[in-house]
Amino acid sequence: MATTIKDIARIAGVSPSTVSRILSDKPSLYSGYAPETISKINQIAKDLNYRKNRSAIELVTKTSQVLGIILPASPTNFAQEIIAGIQKVASLHDIDIIIAYAGEDSEILQMQALKTISERSVRGILLLGITLSSTNAHFLRSTDIPYIFLSVAQPEPDLHFIASNDFDIGYQATNYLIMHGHREIAFVGADIPSCVGQLRLDGYRQALKDHHIAYRADYVIPGNWLYDDGIQAMNMLEKLPHLTAVVAGSDLVAAGVINRARQLQRRIPSELSVVGIDGTALCDIIYPQLTSIQQSFYEMGIKGTEQLIQQTDITSSYTQIRTKKGESVATRLSN
């Protein structure tokens, strides 16, 4: 049978709670014990090949060593960057990660994921790329578990987040194309009804307005951030002969636009310039390499996890964006 805390306590002649505190790796919990006692217990644990039981330690320390992550079901090419940031900080604090999937815009699956995580002993919940329904947001608040949203800014002030400013993303992508001489610019592949999609569209429209370019509804083609949305958008854009540039809702959408454009014998970027959004590793795989508005996904994971571990003052904040320059944008000379 596996060695338990009670076994070590019996041999050492101390209480199980003393063993649990000393083996917790948290000096603040065992600073009051004599060095001889600490050394003795650690040696017994080593001799008996003791392996920590997280649940037993947490019962004594009243502190969970687990964080929960809730992810949407649809594939993204940036989630791993955020998770890498989460894991970096979690590993430094000897904290484990559990993951639950919340479907795609499904209130039922969101609730299942929330219950799956909240019914376990977790220190906090990180919600990645998700906007909850009002019912599910109410449930999250009622759990009294610290939480923070990553990569999606939330409209309600108590739903704290770390994300990019999506209005600025839409504005910067459009303005970059305008600065390269483009005036006929489409905006495609974004989930327009979503908060993120609407903000990026607002940024796109504001950039046009600031440069006295008329907004055209037929230049806006909604989607769901996916590769196939880029293909479908390009099929529709092909019917618009004056179009010279595209802001794609994501790097995946941009990949679809570029690949379909080549099939339609449209040269990138001399005949059609494309700017993506996200700035992921996909930019370097696409040919020509994609110019994209790069988000700080790794930083989101780092900052969100640090806040949940510290549990002092969880607040919302925006991370930096920048233009990652590739070869998918050409300067258009004025006529």
Side-chain angles (χ1 to χ4, degrees), residues 94-168:
D94 196 26
I95 288 177
D96 293 328
I97 300 293
I98 59 174
I99 296 176
Y101 289 91
E104 187 61 39
D105 297 325
S106 169
E107 185 170 351
I108 294 174
L109 293 179
Q110 282 184 357
M111 179 61 76
Q112 288 179 355
L114 287 168
K115 287 183 176 179
T116 296
I117 295 294
S118 64
E119 289 172 357
R120 287 160 172 76
S121 176
V122 295
R123 189 166 184 153
I125 302 174
L126 299 129
L127 300 101
L128 198 163
I130 287 176
T131 300
L132 295 178
S133 69
S134 58
T135 299
N136 291 341
H138 176 75
F139 176 84
L140 177 64
R141 295 183 183 100
S142 72
T143 65
D144 290 327
I145 300 172
Y147 59 82
I148 194 161
F149 291 79
L150 301 180
S151 85
V152 177
Q154 303 296 312
E156 299 180 59
D158 65 322
L159 298 180
H160 299 303
F161 64 84
I162 298 177
S164 303
N165 186 315
D166 288 294
F167 178 91
D168 288 351

Side-chain angles (χ1 to χ4, degrees), residues 32-48:
Y33 293 99
E36 296 80 7
T37 302
I38 296 172
S39 177
K40 180 180 180 181
I41 288 174
N42 279 316
Q43 187 60 51
I44 293 172
K46 181 179 179 181
D47 293 342
L48 296 179

